Structure formats: structure tokens, C-alpha cells
């Protein structure tokens, strides 16, 4: 899943109304008057998330125009693996699932945040600072590990050292975001990716003529600082208004135990990109860049389909909490049908019009007609895995909605990763980037099928035959549309 999708999901926040500062200790008084302000905050959050997504896409277009697909962009994308991996861990999935419930319980008891922040934030920053320094010092080894076939490691090493800063800044930004969302202050957290991409674009505009693609890595570091800055005023106000109670030690331990499966699941899913870049580094110049451009475009409909799941997730969580397993099963099937219809339409379109889409978006500046051809071929194959990407995101939510540690999604993703790595390693030398895209599609589709089967065994009595019938009809419609 991409950063934009995670941000949109996170903006939904906990299920209380209004800011705690307006309530009594029970957190219920005055809720009736809070609906309007919450609605306005949700609208503002949606606009800011959309702006961040648009700016991220503009960033990719600018990079394609200025730098094309080359060893330089390959080097940057190896370093880009760091913020790509850190973002879901420290801003959205793991951090949000750990922090929001803890802060919400504090607010429900009438406790303040100053003691909690004073106890946890400095320790977290210290640990992340050590990780950042370690990554910077070990940058040559990191590049060798991620992309051993990439010639001329120097640019990639420099970019890794610059992007390593995001380990600290993303951690602080994620801590702030989770705290603010628990207070139902959604605007600043929703603005972080807009601020991030503004920083990247500004540094590319100012420095690309002098330092080339390294300007993008400098922009990543600067943009990550802006993610903290855009939330700092609201975060400080939360602390200023809070009494200085301390957090019971068992609260955080319980949260860590619950979030560990989410961390492993997130890293395992991101490891698909690791495999692609590891194997792609041994192919011709620009291969990693072609894979990246194709994936960014192909994932847009998947992000849109997961927005449907984001809206319905609270209902799924409520049905799960109430023990309504048939309601959970019904919700899963309905969401799969709705999101699947969107994905199949998009797949048909992307397969049919891939060259035209890539040409319109990217073929200008340093991005050549050959780059368009190679990227379009990859995107057609990537598109075949969109249903699997969507189904994995939906099924994983159903597992994690149960509110207790669930290791099944991580185990299933690991099996899919093995398939991806095996296919990619076997055929990359002969089929190149097409083999890597096919490996990605095969691995994620297998993981989706296994997760859906696991839902029936461990979560709810999902009607697998009904899901297969729904998907089969959508597949036939998609094939017909693509052929037409």
C-alpha cells in the first residue's frame, strides 16, 4: 500500500467526537454539538490528503522530466527504499495502531499527555537517532545489500545517507500524528505529505542544476523536517492544555505486543520492493526506474479502491468487536465486490492503453520513447496483480480488526514473497523487468487467495465460492472491456 492510502485511512481516527479539551472526563459531554466541526475537519483532511497525493505524483513527473530513467535515478530509488519502508512503520500502520489507542485511553480517563510524552518521546528519538547514524555509517553496505548489481555505488551511498534522516523525522512526525488524531485534530496530520512533497519539489527546483538527482534526496530530508514543522503548533497546544499525569507502564507494553504482527506484516509486504530492486540492480541502466514509474501509475486505482475499504473499516471493526461473524463475512464480500469492480475496470484500461498513458504522463524532457515503451510493458504486467494488491489490503484489515495479535497476514505475505523472489530470480536474466513485474503480480495474488482462505478459518465464515463467483464475473467483464 502507498503512503497516500495509509494517510487517508489514518485520517479516519478513533471513533469519538470532538476534541477532548471540550469534554469532561467521560469524553461524552457536548458530543452532540461536535458533529459539524468533525465533518468540517474530515472535509479539510480529505482535501489535504488529495493535495499530498497530487504533489507526490507531480514529484514523479518532475523527476521523469529532469532525470529520465538512468543509473542516477536507480541510485536515488535505492535510497528511496528507506523512507518507503519507514513511512508505514513510523507514521501510519504500526505507530498509529500503537499510539492512538493508548492516547485515547488516557483522554478517556481524564489524564494528560505531558507525562506520557516526556517519558516516551525522548527515548523513541534516541533509539531512532542511533538507527539513523548506523544507516549513515553503513550506507555502502546498505547499498550493496539492496542493489548489489548497481555499478558506481557512490551516488547511491550519498543518497542513503541523506534519506536516513527520515528515520528520526518520520518517527517524530508519526508520534505527533497519532497524538493529534486521538484528539480529533485531523488537519495537521493530513497535511504532512503535502508538506513533504513541497520540500522535495522545492529542493529539486533549486538544486537539480548543481547536484542532479541528489537534489531529490536532499529534498526528502528537508521535506521530512517540514512534516514535523506543520504539526508542531497543534501538538504543542495539546501538551500545553494537558495535566501532567503519567502513563501506567502496562499500557505501552500491551500496545507493543499488539502491534508487533502489524510491524512484521508491513515490512514483509514492503519486501516485495526490496526483491525487485535487488534483482533489478543487475539489469540494464534505468531498469529500477522503469519499475518504479510503472508501479506508481498502476497503483493509483488500487489506492482508490482501498478508499472504499477505509470508509467501511469502522463497520467491520464494530461487527468484529460485537462478535457478529456473519456481519463480518457479509462486509468482506461486499467490499471485495465493490473494490474489485473498480480494480478490474482500471486493469482493463491500463492493459489496453498503457503506452498512451505513459507517453502522456512521462514522455518529455529526459524521458525517451524507449523509456515509454519499457515502462508501458511493465505496467501492463503489474496491472494483472492489482486485484491481489486490493484483496490483501482488505483481508489484512479484517484480521487486524479483531483487536488482538494476528500473525496470519505476515505469514501469508512471507509465502507470497518467496514466490515473488523465486520467479524473479529464475527469469530476470532472460525476461528482465517483465519477469520482475510478473513475479510481483504472482506473489501478491497467491497471498490474496491464501488470506481469503484464512479469513474463513480464523475470522468469519466467508463464502469463498460466492467470492470466487463475484470475482469471476468481474474478470470476464474486465477481459471483455480490455479486448474491446
Amino acid at each position: 500500500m502507498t503512503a497516500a492510502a495509509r494517510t487517508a485511512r489514518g485520517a479516519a481516527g478513533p471513533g469519538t467526537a470532538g476534541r477532548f479539551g471540550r469534554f469532561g472526563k467521560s469524553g461524552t459531554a457536548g458530543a452532540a454539538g461536535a458533529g459539524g466541526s468533525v465533518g468540517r475537519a474530515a472535509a479539510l483532511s480529505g482535501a489535504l490528503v488529495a493535495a499530498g497525493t497530487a504533489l507526490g505524483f507531480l514529484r514523479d513527473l518532475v523527476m521523469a522530466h529532469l532525470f529520465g530513467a538512468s543509473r542516477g535515478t536507480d541510485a536515488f530509488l535505492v535510497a528511496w527504499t528507506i523512507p518507503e519502508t519507514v513511512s508505514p512503520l513510523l507514521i501510519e500502520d504500526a505507530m498509529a495502531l500503537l499510539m492512538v489507542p493508548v492516547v485515547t485511553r488516557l483522554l478517556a480517563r481524564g489524564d494528560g499527555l505531558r507525562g506520557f510524552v516526556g517519558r516516551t518521546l525522548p527515548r523513541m528519538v534516541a533509539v531512532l537517532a542511533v538507527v539513523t547514524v548506523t544507516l549513515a555509517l553503513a550506507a555502502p553496505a546498505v547499498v550493496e545489500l539492496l542493489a548489489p548489481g548497481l555499478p558506481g555505488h557512490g551516488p547511491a551511498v550519498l543518497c542513503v545517507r541523506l534519506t536516513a534522516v527520515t528515520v528520526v523525522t518520520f518517527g517524530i512526525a508519526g508520534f505527533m500524528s497519532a497524538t493529534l488524531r486521538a484528539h480529533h485534530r485531523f488537519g495537521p496530520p493530513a497535511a504532512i505529505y503535502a508538506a513533504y512533497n513541497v520540500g522535495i519539489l522545492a529542493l529539486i527546483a533549486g538544486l537539480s542544476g548543481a547536484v542532479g538527482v541528489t537534489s531529490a534526496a536532499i529534498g526528502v530530508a528537508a521535506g521530512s523536517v517540514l512534516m514535523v514543522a506543520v504539526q508542531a503548533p497543534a501538538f504543542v497546544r495539546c501538551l500545553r492544555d494537558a495535566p501532567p499525569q503519567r502513563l501506567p507502564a502496562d499500557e505501552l507494553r500491551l500496545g507493543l505486543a499488539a502491534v508487533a504482527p502489524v510491524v512484521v506484516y508491513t515490512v514483509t509486504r514492503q519486501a516485495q520492493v526490496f526483491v525487485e530492486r535487488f534483482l533489478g540492480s543487475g539489469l540494464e541502466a534505468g531498469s529500477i526506474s522503469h519499475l518504479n514509474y510503472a508501479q506508481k501509475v498502476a497503483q493509483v486505482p488500487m489506492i482508490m479502491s482501498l478508499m472504499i475499504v477505509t470508509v467501511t473499516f469502522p463497520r467491520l471493526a464494530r461487527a468484529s468487536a460485537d462478535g457478529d461473524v456473519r456481519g463480518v463475512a457479509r462486509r468482506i464480500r461486499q467490499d471485495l465486490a465493490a473494490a474489485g469492480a473498480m480494480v478490474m475496470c482500471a486493469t482493463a484500461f491500463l492493459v489496453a492503453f498503457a503506452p498512451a498513458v505513459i507517453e502522456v504522463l512521462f514522455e518529455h524532457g529526459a524521458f525517451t520513447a524507449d523509456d515509454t515503451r519499457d515502462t508501458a510493458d511493465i505496467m501492463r504486467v503489474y496491472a494483472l496483480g492489482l486485484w491481489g494488491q486490493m484483496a490483501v489490503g482488505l483481508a489484512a484489515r479484517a484480521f487486524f480488526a479483531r483487536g488482538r495479535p494476528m500473525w496470519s497476514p505476515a505469514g501469508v505475505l512471507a509465502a507470497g514473497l518467496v514466490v515473488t523472489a523465486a520467479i524473479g530470480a529464475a527469469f530476470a536474466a532472460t525476461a528482465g523487468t517483465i519477469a520482475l513485474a510478473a513475479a510481483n503480480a504472482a506473489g501478491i495474488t497467491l497471498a490474496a487467495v491464501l488470506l481469503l482462505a484464512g479469513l474463513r478459518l480464523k475470522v468469519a465464515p466467508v463464502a469463498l465460492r460466492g467470492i470466487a463467483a463475484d470475482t469471476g464475473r468481474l474478470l470476464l467483464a474486465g477481459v471483455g472491456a480490455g479486448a474491446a
Side-chain angles (χ1 to χ4, degrees):
M1 186 189 314
T2 65
R6 296 184 187 105
T7 304
R9 182 193 63 203
T16 57
R19 295 188 301 177
F20 181 77
R22 297 179 181 176
F23 296 164
K25 287 190 177 184
S26 67
T28 57
S37 63
V38 172
R40 288 192 296 272
L44 174 62
S45 297
L48 291 171
V49 168
T53 302
L55 286 169
F57 201 63
L58 177 61
R59 175 200 67 216
D60 294 330
L61 296 180
V62 168
M63 289 195 64
H65 177 79
L66 293 176
F67 311 121
S70 62
R71 285 299 182 196
T73 53
D74 287 353
F76 168 74
L77 288 169
V78 171
W80 181 256
T81 304
I82 294 174
E84 273 187 321
T85 305
V86 171
S87 174
L89 288 175
L90 296 182
I91 296 180
E92 297 301 338
D93 291 341
M95 180 68 78
L97 288 171
L98 171 63
M99 283 284 298
V100 171
V102 170
V103 175
T104 301
R105 284 194 294 269
L106 281 172
L107 298 181
R109 292 199 302 262
D111 292 340
L113 292 176
R114 277 182 281 173
F116 168 63
V117 172
R119 176 181 175 181
T120 57
L121 185 57
R123 296 178 183 180
M124 183 191 76
V125 171
V127 172
L128 296 179
V130 171
V131 176
T132 295
V133 172
T134 302
L135 281 173
L137 293 176
V142 171
V143 173
E144 181 66 28
L145 178 65
L146 293 176
L150 192 70
H153 284 185
V157 168
L158 176 58
C159 289
V160 165
R161 286 175 171 155
L162 290 166
T163 58
V165 173
T166 60
V167 174
V168 171
T169 50
F170 278 21
I172 299 172
F175 190 97
M176 289 179 169
S177 293
T179 302
L180 291 170
R181 287 169 183 164
H183 281 79
H184 270 237
R185 297 182 182 181
F186 299 133
I192 59 176
Y193 288 107
Y196 178 55
N197 286 311
V198 164
I200 297 174
L201 286 166
L203 269 294
I204 291 176
L207 298 178
S208 60
V211 297
V213 75
T214 305
S215 62
I218 300 172
V220 168
S224 70
V225 175
L226 292 179
M227 297 171 84
V228 176
V230 77
Q231 299 181 97
F235 182 73
V236 170
R237 284 196 296 272
C238 286
L239 295 185
R240 189 176 57 220
D241 297 340
Q245 283 89 349
R246 293 177 61 86
L247 173 73
D250 61 335
E251 292 274 10
L252 195 55
R253 283 197 297 268
L254 290 173
L256 286 170
V259 85
V262 183
V263 172
V264 176
Y265 162 81
T266 302
V267 173
T268 305
R269 186 165 186 181
Q270 182 63 25
Q272 279 197 318
V273 177
F274 300 166
V275 170
E276 283 187 2
R277 290 178 184 168
F278 181 89
L279 297 174
S281 67
L283 303 177
E284 62 182 11
S287 294
I288 294 176
S289 301
H290 293 147
L291 288 163
N292 178 72
Y293 291 131
Q295 189 178 62
K296 289 294 176 61
V297 178
Q299 281 189 339
V300 170
M302 189 270 292
I303 295 171
M304 294 174 63
S305 71
L306 287 180
M307 293 293 284
I308 297 173
V309 181
T310 299
V311 173
T312 61
F313 181 63
R315 300 179 184 178
L316 180 68
R318 180 58 184 268
S320 182
D322 292 343
D324 182 8
V325 292
R326 295 195 178 279
V328 170
R330 185 167 55 252
R331 179 78 268 156
I332 291 170
R333 182 173 177 180
Q334 290 172 351
D335 288 351
L336 274 172
M342 182 178 294
V343 163
M344 290 298 184
C345 288
T347 299
F349 177 83
L350 291 176
V351 170
F353 295 107
V357 170
I358 298 300
E359 180 180 356
V360 169
L361 291 176
F362 296 114
E363 194 178 315
H364 44 77
F367 200 91
T368 67
D370 289 340
D371 292 327
T372 293
R373 183 194 65 244
D374 293 341
T375 303
D377 289 343
I378 294 168
M379 190 174 74
R380 279 176 162 150
V381 180
Y382 262 142
L384 302 179
L386 286 179
W387 181 87
Q389 296 278 0
M390 175 276 300
V392 164
L394 187 151
R397 282 169 169 78
F399 275 101
F400 294 133
R402 302 191 70 187
R404 58 186 177 86
M406 296 290 289
W407 289 95
S408 298
V412 168
L413 261 292
L417 182 64
V418 170
V419 171
T420 297
I423 295 175
F427 298 104
T430 54
T433 51
I434 298 298
L436 298 182
N440 184 306
I444 200 68
T445 302
L446 173 65
V449 172
L450 293 177
L451 271 181
L452 291 175
L455 285 177
R456 181 174 179 83
L457 293 175
K458 298 185 177 182
V459 176
V462 179
L464 295 181
R465 290 185 179 179
I467 290 174
D470 294 341
T471 304
R473 285 191 290 269
L474 291 171
L475 178 61
L476 290 174
V479 170

